[in-house]
Amino acid sequence: MLRQSDRPYVLPGDIGIDDALGDEILAWTDCFQECLAEEYEDFERRPRWAPGISAFDWYDEGRRIVAELRARFPDVQVLGQFGKYVFSANEMRENVGRLPISMPGERRAGYVSIRDFVTRNLYR
């Protein structure tokens, strides 16, 4: 078996996560690796998952894991930044009260153009 210092990755147990939660994290990550079928470059379509896999169930499991990690490690900032693998970019923007983005040349009411998004630093 490789020592931690010989591996190019860190396992949950290496950072103090117990085996039960560590196994849940690894199973959740394995599901992502095996079942995410396609990401899209546009702002409207949701990523596509393998047939029979519920991206929403995967997302809910991730939120549960994040909540568990936050409870166990209150002094650590645990970020759950995996929504982009379930929701479209515009769904995520609208969910936090931001205008959706449109592709260059698309003039859509209520949308901000990608050019304005990039040049006006509207990432926030």
Side-chain angles (χ1 to χ4, degrees), residues 32-113:
F32 171 79
Q33 294 292 328
E34 294 171 11
C35 299
L36 181 68
E38 185 174 6
E39 293 180 70
Y40 297 108
E41 296 296 321
D42 63 46
F43 305 111
E44 296 296 330
R45 291 185 290 177
R46 290 178 175 162
R48 191 171 55 83
W49 285 70
I53 300 298
S54 169
F56 300 112
D57 288 347
W58 177 85
Y59 179 82
D60 289 344
E61 176 69 1
R63 298 299 303 163
R64 187 195 64 75
I65 289 170
V66 165
E68 183 70 26
L69 289 169
R70 287 176 178 159
R72 291 187 188 193
F73 302 99
D75 295 331
V76 176
Q77 182 181 19
V78 180
L79 301 175
Q81 297 181 321
F82 46 86
K84 67 182 181 178
Y85 299 112
V86 177
F87 304 102
S88 73
N90 279 340
E91 286 175 320
M92 290 179 48
R93 288 183 60 80
E94 289 176 303
N95 191 46
V96 294
R98 295 189 178 117
L99 290 174
I101 302 170
S102 65
M103 294 299 282
E106 289 181 339
R107 290 285 175 221
R108 298 169 67 178
Y111 283 60
V112 62
S113 108

